[in-house]
Amino acid sequence: MDRDCYSLSNTEVVSILGTIEELNHLKDVDTILDNTLLEARKLAGADAGSIFLKDGDGLRFSYVQNDTLFKEDETNVALYADYTVPISPGSIVGYAALTGETVVIDDAYHMAGDLPYQFNPAWDQRSGYKTISMLTMPLGSFPERVVGVLQLINAKQDNKVSRFSETSRAYMPLFANHASLAIERGVMNRELILRMMMMAELRDPHETGAHVQRVGAYSAEIYRQYALMKGEDRNTIKRNRDVIRLASMLHDVGKVGISDTILKKPAKLTDEEFGVMKWHTVYGARLFLNKNSRLDEMSYDIALNHHEKWGGGGYPGRLSDIHADSGSMNQPKSGDAIPLAARITALADVFDALSSKRSYKEPWTDEKIFSTIEADSGTHFDPEIVAVFFQIIDVIKAIREKYRG
Ligand code: C2E
Ligand code: SIN
Ligand code: SIN
Ligand code: FE
Ligand code: FE
């Protein structure tokens, strides 16, 4: 097919509209970035691509796909690379964000000498990839609503890298423009959740935001690996992953009902205080009792059950057994009676709590953390989930680095 004919077929137009429509129904920003990039690459025939999102004065590297380096559905460390490019004319992505222009490059290693921007070969050098053609465009409308930059890399025709077609050059910026609405919504959802959690914990906002982001990301990656192992189909995995990430970020939202004196106590809680603290699971679950959506359902499951233990002995048990007047919590759940999403979040939460400084404890060494998790496999944690966690330990560590707060 000659892609250089400067027009889109009907099916291509329908496909673009369909994609944008679909993007609007998704919730979490990472899923929206994933879909945006996938569709953009499909439409432009690009081997790879990245999305940078505006973060303060810079552009934060936020998503990457690369058919040559890694498989789309695989958990990979590259996704959590952590760097920011200044919004300045010196870099290609900075230039696109600053000027609102689309930057087309046919050969990154042989660019004209008089351009304001330069190609940065750092990524290539680290990954062994060879960038040749690039199509870089701002996301959002210039100037006041630029939310980031979409960069497509290495257009492919007949399995060879070529320049980006005239069609792509003409239409991809339109796609980017529309996609940015969905991205903005995703960013807003994520920020809304972060704000809710800051209210809930009333700790240092920075610390809390990072904790919540980490637990969400750990849970999403553990879920993906677990579901792949179980032979779950790709669409189901993508859908659930989106929901579990957000729901898992909300696991401790019920702490909003716990007093500061207990929540911020810089020492070990007394038995009585811990008895009060346990109610954060119930308070959280009550927020989602309506269960209007899949997100409500999973948020309920996680808030209520993230302190249950695989072998029993956790809390709070079944909601119907809990009586506020007596304050009693009976009959902890165990095994499969604990929803999968809560079993996953339980491990993500404890791993993060042990890795972090709390008002009542210093961070543990990795050695101690990992031996504790192994020792608690089968008692506190679902052993299958512990196994999956160690399979993707490099990704887990990359997430911890990226959202280090
Ligand atoms: P969190 O700080 O997010 O901790 C989540 C879970 O990580 C804890 O659930 C526990 O299973 C594990 N964890 C955290 N720190 C340690 C630790 O030093 N040693 C061990 N072995 N496990 C740890 P848990 O115990 O149900 O606690 C729920 C929440 O209650 C905690 O959430 C925290 O907000 C609060 N909390 C628990 N113990 C204390 C304490 O001694 N002092 C204060 N101020 N808060 C506490
Ligand atoms: C980067 O990947 O570091 C930014 C590349 C660019 O300048 O466009
Ligand atoms: C799923 O497999 O549906 C996600 C986890 C859950 O609903 O418990
Ligand atoms: Fe909790
Ligand atoms: Fe927590």
Side-chain angles (χ1 to χ4, degrees):
M1 179 176 68
D2 178 13
R3 293 197 63 95
D4 256 329
C5 57
Y6 218 103
S7 72
L8 291 175
S9 69
N10 267 340
T11 37
E12 280 173 312
V13 172
V14 169
S15 155
I16 291 185
L17 292 177
T19 303
I20 291 161
E21 178 61 15
E22 207 173 294
L23 290 176
N24 285 331
H25 286 127
L26 295 166
K27 294 187 183 81
D28 185 63
V29 61
D30 275 16
T31 306
I32 294 169
L33 298 183
D34 183 64
N35 280 274
T36 301
L37 205 47
L38 201 61
E39 281 306 315
R41 286 176 46 231
K42 219 192 283 168
L43 288 164
D47 184 53
S50 318
I51 294 180
F52 295 76
L53 290 182
K54 216 169 139 185
D55 182 12
D57 297 334
L59 289 165
R60 189 165 193 198
F61 175 79
S62 299
Y63 218 85
V64 61
Q65 288 171 355
N66 190 313
D67 280 350
T68 301
L69 293 183
F70 39 81
K71 281 215 236 64
E72 180 210 325
D73 286 331
E74 247 165 38
T75 300
N76 69 82
V77 175
L79 213 53
Y80 297 99
D82 183 26
Y83 64 99
T84 300
V85 184
I87 302 184
S88 63
S91 74
I92 298 164
V93 290
Y95 184 87
L98 195 66
T99 63
E101 287 174 29
T102 294
V103 181
V104 187
I105 291 165
D106 291 339
D107 187 345
Y109 287 89
H110 299 92
M111 283 162 51
D114 57 352
L115 295 167
Y117 42 78
Q118 280 189 322
F119 170 63
N120 176 355
W123 165 268
D124 278 12
Q125 282 159 3
R126 245 182 305 136
S127 63
Y129 190 72
K130 180 135 197 290
T131 299
I132 302 174
S133 55
M134 288 200 270
L135 182 62
T136 306
M137 55 224 132
L139 285 163
S141 44
F142 186 76
E144 69 289 340
R145 285 161 72 85
V146 170
V147 295
V149 173
L150 170 62
Q151 185 162 59
L152 299 177
I153 297 170
N154 288 357
K156 281 208 157 166
Q157 244 172 342
D158 307 323
N159 269 326
K160 286 209 327 262
V161 177
S162 64
R163 52 205 287 283
F164 281 89
S165 70
E166 294 304 327
T167 312
S168 298
R169 293 166 197 230
Y171 287 101
M172 289 316 296
L174 293 179
F175 174 87
N177 207 343
H178 283 281
S180 58
L181 292 177
I183 293 173
E184 262 187 289
R185 192 164 311 140
V187 169
M188 270 171 51
N189 284 346
R190 181 78 69 92
E191 280 175 358
L192 212 62
I193 288 183
L194 290 177
R195 272 194 213 115
M196 265 173 79
M197 290 310 301
M198 284 176 205
M199 273 176 20
E201 300 213 10
L202 296 169
R203 292 208 179 96
D204 173 54
H206 209 85
E207 215 279 322
T208 303
H211 166 62
V212 164
Q213 300 253 35
R214 288 191 301 265
V215 173
Y218 298 146
S219 298
E221 294 294 2
I222 294 168
Y223 167 73
R224 167 160 57 189
Q225 187 72 9
Y226 180 92
L228 282 171
M229 186 187 77
K230 295 282 175 186
E232 209 48 274
D233 73 277
R234 291 161 56 160
N235 285 332
T236 308
I237 294 179
K238 274 200 174 182
R239 230 185 8 255
N240 285 334
R241 212 173 141 249
D242 185 49
V243 181
I244 196 173
R245 179 195 303 271
L246 293 179
S248 181
M249 287 169 79
L250 291 165
H251 68 278
D252 272 342
V253 70
K255 283 183 180 174
V256 76
I258 306 296
S259 75
D260 260 19
T261 39
I262 293 181
L263 203 56
K264 293 195 197 173
K265 183 177 175 182
K268 204 167 159 38
L269 299 179
T270 63
D271 285 352
E272 193 183 336
E273 287 166 337
F274 191 60
V276 173
M277 177 59 98
K278 285 178 173 176
W279 281 81
H280 79 278
T281 52
V282 178
Y283 297 153
R286 282 184 185 153
L287 291 174
F288 306 107
L289 264 180
N290 280 339
K291 301 191 188 171
N292 284 322
S293 63
R294 184 94 180 93
L295 181 61
D296 275 352
E297 280 168 26
M298 207 184 277
S299 301
Y300 174 93
D301 281 349
I302 291 176
L304 186 64
N305 298 300
H306 72 278
H307 289 296
E308 297 285 5
K309 297 183 177 179
W310 179 256
Y315 58 90
R318 291 191 346 208
L319 208 47
S320 56
D321 290 341
I322 294 168
H323 303 290
D325 36 343
S326 66
S328 65
M329 293 180 178
N330 298 320
Q331 298 262 10
K333 295 173 187 164
S334 64
D336 282 336
I338 308 164
L340 173 66
R343 274 149 38 209
I344 290 172
T345 305
L347 178 55
D349 184 37
V350 173
F351 171 68
D352 199 61
L354 299 181
S355 298
S356 310
K357 185 177 160 34
R358 289 277 195 266
S359 66
Y360 60 96
K361 63 169 273 292
E362 288 304 312
W364 291 15
T365 63
D366 274 1
E367 204 190 346
K368 192 168 167 201
I369 296 171
F370 295 142
S371 62
T372 300
I373 289 174
E374 290 208 33
D376 290 349
S377 173
T379 50
H380 190 159
F381 307 117
D382 175 348
E384 281 193 311
I385 289 169
V386 172
V388 161
F389 173 84
F390 283 114
Q391 279 166 20
I392 60 163
I393 196 63
D394 289 348
V395 173
I396 298 289
K397 286 180 179 172
I399 292 169
R400 185 172 62 180
E401 256 317 287
K402 174 154 185 161
Y403 302 109
R404 62 191 163 275

